[in-house]
Amino acid sequence: MRLHTLTLHPLQIPFKTRFKHSSAERTMTQSVLVAARTDSGCLGLGEGCPREYVTAESIASAERFFATHRDDLINTVHSITDLRQWIQANAATIEQNPAAWCAIELALLDALAKDQHQSIEYLLDLPELSGPFRYTAVIGDGPLETLTSQVQQYAALGFSDFKVKITGDPSLDNAKYVALHAAVKNPRVRLDANNLWNTPDQVLAYLDAISINPCALEEPLQALDHTGLNTLAAQQPAKLILDESFLSQAHFAPIEHRPESFIINLRISKMGGLLRSLTIARRAAQKKIPLIIGAQVGETSILTRAALCIANICGDALIGQEGAFGTLLLERDITDQPLTFGKNGLFAIDRLTSSAYGLQIAYALKNLPALKGEQYPKNS
């Protein structure tokens, strides 16, 4: 493969509804889109979601990272072997810019696979998708009326697995739990605190004051407080989900002496791309640490599709999958057919275009204002 151009564009798509949790409130996407155009006429697209409160990245930092490395990537990456070597040689800078790199890597993988007339699974020596995939309902931290409406919609679709963003105020959160149990019989509930508390005792006091026993609790303490997380894990039965506290392979070390207490939330953008995420998923399986395949709020179908590569190999280690909201949340997606869950939270792989290559998504360039004016040859 020979790259003709590699470009990055901020991607801002309005949400149909405001989404709030304790770390942020959003009304539109905060993402970057990378386009890789090859000499043979293939177009690869990649997406990353820089978040200041997750990986200390921003749109501006992603643009700087891209500008620094674009020419080198165009000149040196012509195969999957070249890409792996570039990642190894630039591991330290990728660690500091994981979402920016994710967008670049996905675009390059998509272009490579299309150039070779392969699926992304074939390119990476992975099993082809088998599915179906079952997604979790995600409830944001909004007014009770909004939450009740969301829960009823999820209940009508047959969801039974829920992730609930919490405020930390037992009286407010208990009202949410009452609404949830009124609409859904025996829901499986995990709570997401988004780094609300500073000490294990504060978390324990909250758990004592609420009306449910969650199956898991995500990020209750400040990010990367592994000492506090281990202390908390020893004092209560709910598993602890690590999101902002698990950003790379280095974060296996603080939790590997009690793997039964933790779950890793593996989000491709946060982890620095698909190849790094595959490595983490395989290592987690060796250590018998379960996974949730997570998603950044506002992901388009590009990241939804890439995450299927990981979910497809996890087997029983996968205890939850998030995302696939597409145009259920976004005013528009960037694909002809947005990848969204359906009844019972299921996504069937027959909704993918089986005759396509790469990430097997047909891109709707008319939905990509960021690329307006650029003439892309038809994909091979």
Side-chain angles (χ1 to χ4, degrees):
M1 179 192 77
R2 295 287 172 180
L3 284 173
H4 181 64
T5 58
L6 191 65
T7 57
L8 179 144
H9 312 267
L11 187 63
Q12 292 185 318
I13 301 174
F15 291 175
K16 291 180 176 178
T17 183
R18 186 182 304 269
F19 190 90
K20 180 177 181 294
H21 57 74
S22 63
S23 295
E25 183 172 356
R26 301 202 173 279
T27 58
M28 65 175 58
T29 60
Q30 181 184 321
S31 306
V32 292
L33 180 74
V34 171
R37 182 167 48 152
T38 72
D39 283 348
S40 64
C42 296
L43 169 65
L45 292 183
E47 177 186 8
C49 302
R51 297 287 189 270
E52 291 87 347
Y53 57 89
V54 178
T55 58
E57 292 176 274
S58 64
I59 299 295
S61 72
E63 290 173 328
R64 289 192 298 270
F65 176 83
F66 177 83
T68 299
H69 299 289
R70 175 187 54 206
D71 291 347
D72 185 35
L73 288 162
I74 290 174
N75 292 329
T76 60
V77 176
H78 310 299
S79 67
I80 187 65
T81 299
D82 292 340
L83 181 59
R84 293 182 189 277
Q85 289 175 346
W86 199 95
I87 292 171
Q88 184 175 4
N90 294 273
T93 189
I94 290 173
E95 288 281 342
Q96 300 301 314
N97 300 273
W101 172 247
C102 176
I104 297 169
E105 182 200 76
L106 289 181
L108 294 174
L109 288 172
D110 195 21
L112 279 165
K114 286 173 177 173
D115 194 69
Q116 298 176 39
H117 295 238
Q118 298 171 346
S119 71
I120 198 73
E121 281 76 22
Y122 192 92
L123 176 71
L124 298 180
D125 196 25
L126 297 171
E128 294 295 333
L129 299 184
S130 57
F133 299 90
R134 186 183 298 273
Y135 286 84
T136 297
V138 179
I139 305 295
D141 173 23
L144 183 59
E145 296 80 7
T146 301
L147 176 141
T148 301
S149 175
Q150 290 177 337
V151 167
Q152 291 172 347
Q153 292 175 37
Y154 281 126
L157 283 171
F159 277 84
S160 59
D161 191 46
F162 287 80
K163 172 176 174 173
V164 180
K165 301 283 188 176
I166 62 176
T167 67
D169 182 328
S171 62
L172 294 176
D173 292 337
N174 277 331
K176 295 181 180 181
Y177 308 143
V178 169
L180 178 55
H181 281 267
V184 182
K185 184 178 180 180
N186 298 321
R188 179 173 175 262
V189 181
R190 58 184 184 269
L191 307 180
D192 188 357
N194 284 107
N195 314 109
L196 268 173
W197 293 289
N198 295 308
T199 68
D201 286 345
Q202 291 172 325
V203 183
L204 294 171
Y206 174 84
L207 293 174
D208 285 341
I210 60 175
S211 59
I212 63 168
N213 294 314
C215 66
L217 178 61
E218 184 166 343
E219 287 295 334
L221 299 174
Q222 298 304 295
L224 302 176
D225 181 6
H226 295 115
T227 299
L229 287 165
N230 276 287
T231 298
L232 180 61
Q235 294 178 322
Q236 54 81 48
K239 289 183 178 290
L240 300 180
I241 302 171
L242 306 182
D243 184 5
E244 290 86 357
S245 295
F246 197 102
L247 304 175
S248 70
Q249 288 198 66
H251 295 144
F252 276 108
I255 64 170
E256 58 189 0
H257 66 286
R258 51 180 315 126
E260 71 284 354
S261 297
F262 295 101
I263 300 166
I264 296 170
N265 185 336
L266 194 159
R267 299 194 279 180
I268 290 177
S269 178
K270 174 193 74 171
M271 294 299 188
L274 185 53
L275 295 176
R276 285 162 56 95
S277 295
L278 284 166
T279 298
I280 287 170
R282 289 166 174 149
R283 187 169 174 186
Q286 293 171 352
K287 296 180 177 298
K288 295 183 168 41
I289 300 175
L291 293 177
I292 290 170
I293 305 301
Q296 310 279 172
V297 175
E299 288 183 1
T300 75
S301 291
I302 294 177
L303 278 168
T304 296
R305 172 61 182 90
L308 296 179
C309 298
I310 309 290
N312 195 51
I313 66 169
C314 286
D316 293 340
L318 182 64
I319 65 166
Q321 191 167 356
E322 299 165 8
F325 280 91
T327 48
L328 298 173
L329 176 63
L330 303 177
E331 289 287 352
R332 65 181 185 276
D333 206 328
I334 63 176
T335 60
D336 287 325
Q337 294 182 314
L339 306 186
T340 57
F341 52 72
K343 191 171 179 59
N344 300 317
L346 293 176
F347 173 80
I349 62 167
D350 58 10
R351 294 179 59 192
L352 292 171
T353 306
S354 60
S355 61
Y357 303 117
L359 288 167
Q360 298 176 314
I361 295 175
Y363 302 124
L365 294 186
K366 63 181 180 295
N367 290 338
L368 295 172
L371 302 183
K372 185 175 288 187
E374 296 194 34
Q375 299 299 315
Y376 288 96
K378 185 176 180 181
N379 290 338
S380 303

